[in-house]
Amino acid sequence: MLGLGLRLINLTDKCLWTDELATLVFSLGHSFLSIPLDQIITSETLLQPLVPDPQLNLGGVVEHLLGESNHPPLYFWLTHLWLQMFPTPDGLVSLWGARSLSALFGTAAIPAIFCLGYLAFRSLWIAQLAALLMATSPLAIYLAQEARHYTLPILWVIASLACLIIATRALAERRPLPLWVMLVWIVVNGLGTASHYFFSLTLCAEGIVLLGLAGRQIQQQALSTDKTLKANRSFWQKHPLRSTWLRIGVVGAGTLASLVVWLPFLQGVQDSEITQWIHRGNRVGLEWLDPVLQILAGASTMLYMLPIQASNAPLSVVSFVALVLLAIWTGFKINQGLRISSANGYAVWILGGFVVGAIATFLIITYGFEREVTSAPRYHFVFFPAVILLIAAALVQQWSPSRAVLKQTAIIIVSLSLLGAITVVSNLGYQKTHRPDIVAQAIREGPSQQSLIVIAHSTHGQTGRMMALAWDFKHRPLQPAPLFLMAHIIDKPESVLIPLQHSLEQISTPITLWLLEFKGVPEDALQATLAAHHCQPQPQVKSATDGYRYRMHRCRGDQ
């Protein structure tokens, strides 16, 4: 109940942003391509893909999703079905409905991590503490309040780790892996990949753990000199490890088959325009440390978050410094606890190896393939449940010997985790990646005349930015209603000047012109085009916020 309440508090208070709009549009079975480019449109036209159409089905969802985006369809299918249960205020899709599905999956992770904790450690104390930390984790709540597909794969990660624990225990006890576990493991891995392609990184980390165990067992067998145990046994008794490894191999083959299904849709994704934001090459100096620091920062938010994004600058700085100190102190305490528990904690070695393997995979992709997957904490869902379990196992070692009362360390960490949860739901931390609400407010505070908002368009990412503004104006009206123009870039950034010029020629009355994402357009050519249509820059209204660069011009119009 605590976890559910934290995930539903202020669920719709934060602004709707580009990635969430992609979830809504594709889940409804619509397309971004239906919105006209290079012509002036109204907010009604811009928001049309957010109007539910009962005639559209799951086939439309997968058609547009796989054709225009780079995500598998499972979560979008579920969202399509889920949204049919909610009314459509103002004719538009329900934002509460869209975000509540993610919140429910996030809540389900609480009993799921409890079950995994008990399975791995056979300890109710560790299982209960892991559930509590999952309930209050700032990262978990941030992901649960997004209309995005991250809380569902967290459930698949937990289920896959449960199968890994059972498999490694079977290896340790020299018994075959149950057939039902094999089937469940293959199905879970397939569903995980169908929810998010980054689930494959979870599989890589599990593979690293299994390879490590295989190497250890080979070494142990090479050192063994006891041959008497091999006499007079059945095949399964003689070769228990061989049979278990054979079954794990079958799981691997089945999982690989579920991955191969998506290869045709992954072709070209790496170099597509919508994934270029994670490309990072030509590092110099201390920039080489960025990925490591990003992983550490993201990992710290699994436990803590303070108001580092508060509007009060001193409070923000103090919160940042406090977070760094807390992370260092907590890292020391967790390391201390894990050293104690690892003496008789087989699960600590398995989960610890999994986390190390996942982080290594992230760093290989970042440094080796120049794709900075460490930059977004949301991608840490790959190893997030394992970290929570390891923290719980470490904290149990900080309790009193009788385990009747928590010691101060555990109390402090859990209390600060709850404080971090409150910080997130209060929008003082983990704010939306893009902030259309700030841009919309700047436009409202501008001149009280017709506004034309123009964005340099290349992908549906820019379409989503414009739709987010239109959504804001729909729910907090601006008079007169603004107009929108998505000037598409063809080959070169300056190509946007042609539709901009044509649009300005259609306007004969004074307007306020807002230019978004025009940074790459040559300044001389831009100012020449604007001057020809009597548009004067307003230097005092030129700014940037998360996801937007904007500036204002006042145009007298062609009369």
Side-chain angles (χ1 to χ4, degrees):
M1 294 303 297
L2 173 65
L4 178 62
L6 288 172
R7 284 154 179 77
L8 295 181
I9 291 176
N10 299 333
L11 188 59
T12 59
D13 283 2
K14 295 184 181 181
C15 61
L16 185 62
W17 71 289
T18 305
D19 282 16
E20 290 184 301
L21 281 162
T23 300
L24 297 179
V25 171
F26 293 131
S27 296
L28 291 173
H30 289 298
S31 168
F32 282 100
L33 301 179
S34 63
I35 302 176
L37 301 176
D38 298 337
Q39 66 183 66
I40 295 176
I41 57 177
T42 63
S43 60
E44 287 74 18
T45 301
L46 195 51
L47 294 175
Q48 188 61 36
L50 297 179
V51 178
D53 183 352
Q55 303 301 318
L56 297 176
N57 54 28
L58 297 179
V61 175
V62 70
E63 176 186 354
H64 296 302
L65 177 66
L66 298 182
E68 300 176 38
S69 186
N70 58 341
H71 295 298
L74 180 57
Y75 185 81
F76 297 84
W77 279 338
L78 295 175
T79 303
H80 177 88
L81 299 174
W82 178 257
L83 289 174
Q84 295 177 6
M85 301 169 55
F86 294 88
T88 55
D90 300 324
L92 300 178
V93 66
S94 168
L95 178 59
W96 196 95
R99 287 178 175 170
S100 63
L101 180 62
S102 179
L104 290 179
F105 284 138
T107 304
I110 300 169
I113 200 73
F114 171 86
C115 295
L116 178 59
Y118 186 74
L119 172 69
F121 293 98
R122 296 287 192 256
S123 167
L124 281 175
W125 290 91
I126 293 176
Q128 290 168 348
L129 185 56
L132 177 58
L133 292 175
M134 179 65 79
T136 60
S137 167
L139 176 63
I141 292 171
Y142 154 65
L143 295 178
Q145 292 196 323
E146 288 258 293
R148 294 295 285 165
H149 50 167
Y150 297 107
T151 52
L152 177 60
I154 284 176
L155 292 176
W156 302 134
V157 171
I158 291 173
S160 188
L161 283 175
C163 295
L164 177 67
I165 291 294
I166 295 173
T168 55
R169 191 166 287 157
L171 288 170
E173 297 172 359
R174 306 179 71 84
R175 56 180 173 79
L177 182 65
L179 293 177
W180 69 267
V181 175
M182 295 171 58
L183 178 61
V184 169
W185 204 356
I186 293 172
V187 171
V188 165
N189 292 344
L191 292 173
T193 308
S195 300
H196 200 293
Y197 291 136
F198 274 24
F199 182 83
S200 59
L201 303 184
T202 295
L203 303 179
C204 289
E206 291 182 353
I208 291 172
V209 170
L210 292 171
L211 286 175
L213 283 176
R216 183 179 179 184
Q217 290 183 347
I218 291 173
Q219 183 182 29
Q220 289 175 342
Q221 287 183 347
L223 296 175
S224 175
T225 58
D226 186 359
K227 299 180 180 180
T228 60
L229 296 176
K230 295 182 180 180
N232 301 322
R233 290 187 176 186
S234 66
F235 176 83
W236 294 106
Q237 290 174 321
K238 284 184 178 181
H239 306 280
L241 288 179
R242 182 180 300 178
S243 67
T244 304
W245 279 113
L246 178 61
R247 295 189 177 194
I248 291 176
V250 172
V251 172
T255 298
L256 183 61
S258 70
L259 292 173
V260 170
V261 171
W262 302 106
L263 287 181
F265 306 107
L266 286 171
Q267 292 179 357
V269 165
Q270 180 176 341
D271 297 318
S272 66
E273 289 185 84
I274 55 178
T275 60
Q276 284 303 302
W277 68 272
I278 64 173
H279 177 75
R280 178 72 183 275
N282 302 320
R283 299 178 188 274
V284 294
L286 295 178
E287 291 179 353
W288 287 96
L289 296 177
D290 285 350
V292 176
L293 296 177
Q294 288 163 351
I295 286 179
L296 293 174
S300 69
T301 66
M302 296 178 186
L303 274 184
Y304 303 129
M305 175 59 71
L306 294 175
I308 59 175
Q309 292 179 301
S311 56
N312 185 303
L315 176 60
S316 178
V317 172
V318 170
S319 298
F320 177 79
V321 173
L323 269 179
V324 173
L325 296 177
L326 273 174
I328 295 172
W329 173 77
T330 306
F332 172 77
K333 290 293 184 180
I334 291 174
N335 179 66
Q336 187 180 51
L338 288 178
R339 285 181 178 273
I340 299 173
S341 60
S342 64
N344 56 2
Y346 181 74
V348 169
W349 289 102
I350 299 301
L351 293 172
F354 171 81
V355 172
V356 171
I359 292 175
T361 303
F362 270 76
L363 294 177
I364 289 171
I365 294 174
T366 298
Y367 288 117
F369 297 92
E370 297 185 342
R371 293 295 186 269
E372 198 160 278
V373 293
T374 61
S375 62
R378 58 184 180 270
Y379 294 152
H380 295 173
F381 76 84
V382 168
F383 57 92
F384 169 50
V387 173
I388 289 294
L389 276 179
L390 289 172
I391 293 172
L395 289 182
V396 165
Q397 304 304 320
Q398 310 295 325
W399 299 7
S400 60
S402 65
R403 295 188 176 181
V405 182
L406 280 170
K407 291 182 69 175
Q408 286 185 343
T409 299
I411 294 175
I412 292 172
I413 290 177
V414 171
S415 300
L416 288 173
S417 181
L418 179 58
L419 177 61
I422 296 172
T423 298
V424 174
V425 300
S426 301
N427 205 25
L428 297 174
Y430 265 135
Q431 295 175 349
K432 296 301 180 183
T433 305
H434 298 165
R435 295 298 305 274
D437 53 326
I438 293 178
V439 182
Q441 184 59 32
I443 295 174
R444 286 190 187 89
E445 294 173 354
S448 56
Q449 60 186 30
Q450 182 71 65
S451 294
L452 174 62
I453 307 171
V454 184
I455 193 169
H457 179 276
S458 57
T459 70
H460 69 250
Q462 288 74 44
T463 307
R465 285 169 171 80
M466 290 288 264
M467 292 179 70
L469 292 174
W471 177 277
D472 193 290
F473 291 130
K474 179 74 173 179
H475 294 86
R476 292 185 294 170
L478 172 66
Q479 295 299 332
L483 300 173
F484 301 87
L485 168 66
M486 292 189 291
H488 190 60
I489 299 174
I490 302 176
D491 297 329
K492 298 181 180 180
E494 52 265 34
S495 62
V496 301
L497 297 178
I498 297 175
L500 174 60
Q501 179 178 343
H502 291 166
S503 299
L504 291 175
E505 288 172 353
Q506 301 174 25
I507 298 174
S508 58
T509 58
I511 63 167
T512 303
L513 177 66
W514 294 86
L515 300 180
L516 278 58
E517 306 303 312
F518 267 65
K519 182 180 180 181
V521 180
E523 191 65 23
D524 292 344
L526 173 61
Q527 293 306 323
T529 300
L530 295 175
H533 295 278
H534 315 293
C535 296
Q536 299 297 322
Q538 306 297 305
Q540 70 277 14
V541 187
K542 181 178 180 181
S543 187
T545 188
D546 296 340
Y548 294 86
R549 297 184 185 89
Y550 61 95
R551 49 181 164 170
M552 185 183 86
H553 290 71
R554 302 190 70 167
C555 305
R556 297 201 306 271
D558 292 336
Q559 301 177 352

